[in-house]
Amino acid sequence: MAKTMYQKIWDSHLVRESHGDICIIYVDRQLVHEVTSPQAFEGLRLSGRKVRHPEKTFATMDHNTSTKTKELSDMEETSQIQINALANNCKEFGVNLYDHLHPDNGVVHIFAPELGITQPGMVIVCGDSHTATHGAFGSLAFGIGTSEVEHVLATQTLQQNPSKTMLINVKGELEKGVGAKDIILYIIGLIGTAGATGYVIEYAGDTIEALSMEERMTVCNMSIEAGARAGMIAPDQTTFDYIKDRDFAPKGDEYEKAVKYWKTLKTDDGTIFDKTLEINASQIKPQVTWGTSPGQVVSIDDTVPSPEDFKDPTDASAAKKALEYMGLISGTKLSDISINYVFIGSCTNGRIEDLRKAANILKGKKVSNNVTALVVPGSGRVKRQAEEEGLDKIFIEAGCQWRFAGCSMCLAMNDDKMSVGDRCASTSNRNFEGRQGAGSRTHLVSPQMAAVAAIEGKIADVRKYL
Amino acid sequence: MEPFTKHTGIAAPLDRANIDTDAIIPKQFLRLIKRTGFGKHLFHELRYLDYEGTKDNPDFVLNKPEYKNSTVLLARDNFGCGSSREHAPWALYDYGFRVIIAPSFADIFYNNCIKNDILLVRLKEEEINSIFNEINAIVGSTINADLESQTITTSGQNTFSFDIHPFAKDCLLKGLDHIGWTLQFNDKINAYEEKIKKEQPWVT
């Protein structure tokens, strides 16, 4: 029988089938960070349980860590508590830890692929909703809650019933200045923030196949913003080349054997998905969110919509509330919206390619006087690579702040945050109320669009810079 | 976990779609390393006028005297979307909520609630509208949720049936230890690990 990639991975990880109750699936790798894990380790301690496979568990510190200092004592006290708790838990339970001082430390969804921990065909989980990022390698990867983190630590398995499958076929050539971030924002705008609830999405088509691994990760990363359990892309030569020779990648004969297996993972021809969506890539323009939900998104050419534009009363009322919070008037051109912050980074857009794209725009230019621009590399490796290429100098000369790796102002859990009324062009993934600081306003954009906004001090169209 | 069989309580109407987990519990409160104590920060930005949380926002539903002691929450589509933080159900439970009724819930949030003794009830949009109308019309309306019979009954005696996965129902009714349940099948986990060691040695 023809199977989707999702079904193949599901079937190969089934430990126990459901007997009217629930399936148990095996988890190959669990990634851990300091915010959603302390209660899980505490649960193990209280019940006298151990971590079943510490060697399959990899921890990093990212959400709380300062991007200004590596000195723990200079970080906020409550952050120190969580950071110390993770260090102690990893020591006690024997878990691999890439702490804030480790040269390869980074945002959980950036450091793991870089180290070759993420591989095709694996089931990967993390107490973090952006875990779908790893699906870019043709793995089944999704976010879980802390009780489930504890469950995986104790059993290396998860209770789960299969999801429905959705195929999103993106075909055609992208316009210059339009990239992975625009593709995924466009999709979320089309299907809505709950459009894929209950589904695992497979992104396919020649536009997706032409993307680099970094770009594929950006697309899969925001699957959760459409409500999907996971997002995935079939592994191909781009994937195999990316993995080869990385720290935890299989080596020599084992690599060859693995590639042979990875090639069998792609969805069989003629497989029927529960839902299919066709997207014409040439129609996608640079995207900008105007509201407080990633689905409230339009093209840069558009104007801010009015609540009356929405047929559904719930959408109309959500639009009204969003406009109030965002301090925007319907009919305003997106390109007339001033911003005073720019954030370039996060698990969505904190990779080397993202920084290259932003630096390419900012080279020889100056950040507008009233704009604070933060550039936060996604990991220690990204930072080193960027510095080798001189990107740090481009950013600093333009007037940006060049920081240490971390989640930073994507969720503003450390001290990188905006104040009431501040407005940001941000390469992150969520524009929820207060996400980047209480009372702050977020417009989600691509790294290039963020760079252009930094120069102009307002939302602007990257296409005129190319 | 405590078993959940039935519950009756005052229902608070939170008339908003896409309530995300950042709205349920903002990040500045995620630094606690225990599971309790999150209730006072529930819906912080909607609930308080100041960052410190000392001034109640009088317009927010839970600050209205008639809803102060509510234990059932009525909401709109896609409740609990966004981050996977289990701090969201911990905060809802700690505040006192035992039942949440909405047309749809985000996936991870749904799983997290089942593991924290909170019953999530999905009803049709028109049913939700009718409950909103009823509790808005009569101050202090209560709702009874009966998990065994899978029904919701309002104090106006309107009854609605809801679907729930049999395993989720069983977990709530028994207050199941999920890890303990899975470990009954430890021999199967061992067998899987033996198989994978031979077939995909690079994964082990």
Side-chain angles (χ1 to χ4, degrees), chain A residues 12 21 26 29 39 52-53 64 78 82 145-147 150-151 159 161 229 411 413 433-435, chain B residues 16-17 22 27 30-32 34-35 82-83 86 107 111-112 165 178 182 185-186 190 192-193 203:
Chain A
S12 70
D21 39 38
Y26 198 77
R29 297 291 179 267
Q39 295 86 350
R52 185 180 175 104
H53 285 292
N64 268 293
T78 44
Q82 257 183 359
T146 299
S147 294
E150 183 183 340
H151 189 283
Q159 298 169 359
N161 279 321
R229 170 139 288 255
L411 86 165
M413 215 181 146
E433 287 187 16
R435 173 81 177 181
Chain B
R16 235 178 130 118
D22 277 75
K27 62 263 172 181
L30 304 189
R31 290 183 180 148
L32 298 175
K34 303 279 173 205
R35 286 176 197 249
S83 134
E86 199 162 316
D107 207 18
N111 285 342
N112 283 343
H165 190 281
H178 287 256
T182 294
F185 306 106
N186 198 32
N190 288 333
Y192 179 89
E193 288 176 339
V203 175

Side-chain angles (χ1 to χ4, degrees), chain A residues 31-45:
Chain A
L31 309 172
V32 170
H33 66 73
E34 78 277 16
V35 179
T36 56
S37 68
Q39 295 86 350
F41 285 110
E42 181 66 11
L44 290 182
R45 259 191 296 272

Side-chain angles (χ1 to χ4, degrees), chain A residues 129 224-225 430 432, chain B residues 19-22 80-85 106 108:
Chain A
S129 60
I224 183 73
E225 262 59 65
R430 287 187 176 135
F432 297 159
Chain B
I19 291 280
D20 57 74
T21 52
D22 277 75
C81 60
S83 134
S84 63
R85 59 188 69 163
I108 305 176

Side-chain angles (χ1 to χ4, degrees), chain A residues 12-16 20-22 24 26 28-29 35 38-39 42 49 52-53 64 76 78-79 81-82 119 127-129 143-148 150-151 154-155 157 159 161 193-194 197 224 229 250 254 257-258 261-262 314 321 411-414 417 430 432-438, chain B residues 15-18 20-22 27-28 30-35 38 45-46 51 76-78 81-87 90 104-108 111-112 115-116 125 165-167 171 176-183 185-186 188-190 192-193 195-196 198-204:
Chain A
S12 70
H13 286 77
L14 202 55
V15 169
R16 174 194 179 265
D21 39 38
I22 199 157
I24 298 175
Y26 198 77
D28 297 307
R29 297 291 179 267
V35 179
Q39 295 86 350
E42 181 66 11
R49 287 171 175 139
R52 185 180 175 104
H53 285 292
N64 268 293
E76 292 178 68
T78 44
S79 297
I81 293 171
Q82 257 183 359
Q119 293 169 25
D128 192 285
S129 60
I144 56 176
T146 299
S147 294
E148 290 176 313
E150 183 183 340
H151 189 283
T155 69
T157 68
Q159 298 169 359
N161 279 321
T193 46
T197 303
I224 183 73
R229 170 139 288 255
E254 209 160 63
K257 208 176 154 196
Y261 170 69
W262 295 340
T314 311
K321 287 194 171 95
L411 86 165
M413 215 181 146
N414 68 355
K417 58 182 103 174
R430 287 187 176 135
F432 297 159
E433 287 187 16
R435 173 81 177 181
Q436 297 191 290
Chain B
D15 198 353
R16 235 178 130 118
N18 295 315
D20 57 74
T21 52
D22 277 75
K27 62 263 172 181
Q28 63 267 35
L30 304 189
R31 290 183 180 148
L32 298 175
I33 55 172
K34 303 279 173 205
R35 286 176 197 249
F38 293 97
E45 284 182 28
L46 296 167
Y51 185 78
R76 295 290 184 185
D77 259 319
N78 204 23
C81 60
S83 134
S84 63
R85 59 188 69 163
E86 199 162 316
H87 311 71
W90 294 336
S104 61
F105 296 95
D107 207 18
I108 305 176
N111 285 342
N112 283 343
K115 295 187 170 65
N116 286 283
E125 187 110 29
H165 190 281
F167 185 69
C171 290
L176 192 79
D177 165 18
H178 287 256
I179 297 175
W181 187 87
T182 294
L183 288 174
F185 306 106
N186 198 32
K188 286 187 185 291
I189 305 175
N190 288 333
Y192 179 89
E193 288 176 339
K195 180 177 79 122
I196 225 62
K198 290 189 200 103
E199 291 175 5
Q200 292 174 42
W202 63 89
V203 175
T204 53

